[in-house]
């Protein structure tokens, strides 16, 4: 049976709802709502292979007067990235006193060559991908694992490579680090994030 998960944002007004199909691979479709840096809705569809590596991610983000989309597909050791946009996100950001956004996608997909996982800005679900792929929820403590992810920034949908470090801390706990940022994630029995301090908490695990 598919699972329905809901997180409440703790860093801003917002939430995320995802429906998961945990079969031979992992598939999820979800919706984010948030007001920072401007009000937006973000919808995604995610699929991984049986090994836990991401095979595809489709993301659409929209707000007042603009919309953007990006699709990432991984196969034969390469990423293919396609994008589209309508309206003027930068105008909406300027009106809110925010700096302009980058372009959706990535100019050179080969920059993502080492990435097996993806990360979607503002989403606690996506931190579960490397945790599950590497079996870190039940791994011995204090053995850090470094991964490269294709990080999709929201709401711009710019895609950049990012290095992330995951360190098991004991049952159901993993430390996540990226550059100078650190957070101790609480996980359920399936390696899915229950609590991401400073970002989100799961409020409906049915």
């Amino acid at each position: 049976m598919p699972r329905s998960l809901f997180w409440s944002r703790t860093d801003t007004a917002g939430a995320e709802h995802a429906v998961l199909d945990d079969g031979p691979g992992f598939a999820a479709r979800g919706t984010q709502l948030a007001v920072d840096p401007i009000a937006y809705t973000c919808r995604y569809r995610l699929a991984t292979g049986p090994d836990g590596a991401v095979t595809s991610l489709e993301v659409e983000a929209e707000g007042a007067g603009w919309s953007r989309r990006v699709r990432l597909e991984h196969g034969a050791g390469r990423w293919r990235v396609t994008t589209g946009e309508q309206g003027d996100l930068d105008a909406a950001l300027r009106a809110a006193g925010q700096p302009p956004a980058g372009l959706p996608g990535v100019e050179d997909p080969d920059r993502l060559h080492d990435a097996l996982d993806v990360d979607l800005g503002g989403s606690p679900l996506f931190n579960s991908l490397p945790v599950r792929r590497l079996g870190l929820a039940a791994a011995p403590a204090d053995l850090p694992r470094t991964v490269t992810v294709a990080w999709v920034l929201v709401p711009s949908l710019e895609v950049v490579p990012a290095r992330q470090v995951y360190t098991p801390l004991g049952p159901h706990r993993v430390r996540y680090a990226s550059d100078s940022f650190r957070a101790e994630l609480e996980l359920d029995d399936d390696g899915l994030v229950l609590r991401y301090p400073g970002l989100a908490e799961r409020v409906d695990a049915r």
Side-chain angles (χ1 to χ4, degrees):
M1 288 289 293
R3 295 181 62 183
S4 178
L5 304 181
F6 190 95
W7 292 266
S8 177
R9 291 281 289 266
T10 57
D11 62 334
T12 188
E16 177 174 353
H17 175 232
V19 177
L20 317 179
D21 185 359
D22 207 354
F26 178 82
R29 63 185 187 277
T31 301
Q32 294 178 313
L33 299 169
V35 299
D36 187 26
I38 56 174
Y40 67 85
T41 300
C42 180
R43 300 178 181 87
Y44 60 82
R45 287 183 176 270
L46 166 73
T48 78
D51 62 353
V54 171
T55 56
S56 68
L57 173 67
E58 299 178 57
V59 185
E60 297 180 356
E62 66 176 337
W66 63 273
S67 66
R68 290 186 169 195
R69 64 184 183 277
V70 65
R71 178 177 176 84
L72 291 82
E73 299 171 279
H74 190 244
R78 295 179 63 91
W79 286 94
R80 181 171 180 263
V81 181
T82 54
T83 66
E85 61 179 316
Q86 292 182 326
D88 192 341
L89 171 58
D90 283 344
L93 288 167
R94 285 195 300 271
Q98 299 291 330
L103 296 175
V106 59
E107 185 174 347
D108 180 8
D110 286 342
R111 295 182 60 207
L112 309 175
H113 179 269
D114 295 331
L116 296 177
D117 307 294
V118 296
D119 192 1
L120 181 65
S123 172
L125 173 67
F126 284 75
N127 292 95
S128 299
L129 296 177
V131 168
R132 289 163 55 92
R133 181 173 62 81
L134 298 171
L136 300 183
D142 297 325
L143 292 175
R145 301 290 296 271
T146 300
V147 300
T148 300
V149 303
W151 184 23
V152 182
L153 308 182
V154 179
S156 70
L157 304 191
E158 181 182 4
V159 183
V160 298
R163 286 168 56 87
Q164 299 180 345
V165 181
Y166 290 83
T167 305
L169 300 175
H172 303 137
R173 292 171 55 238
V174 171
R175 180 187 298 115
Y176 161 69
S178 181
D179 295 328
S180 60
F181 179 80
R182 303 284 188 277
E184 292 190 8
L185 310 181
E186 296 180 18
L187 313 169
D188 66 13
D189 291 340
D190 296 315
L192 298 166
V193 173
L194 284 168
R195 182 171 180 266
Y196 185 140
L199 178 70
E201 293 188 5
R202 213 163 86 200
V203 296
D204 184 356
R206 289 178 295 175

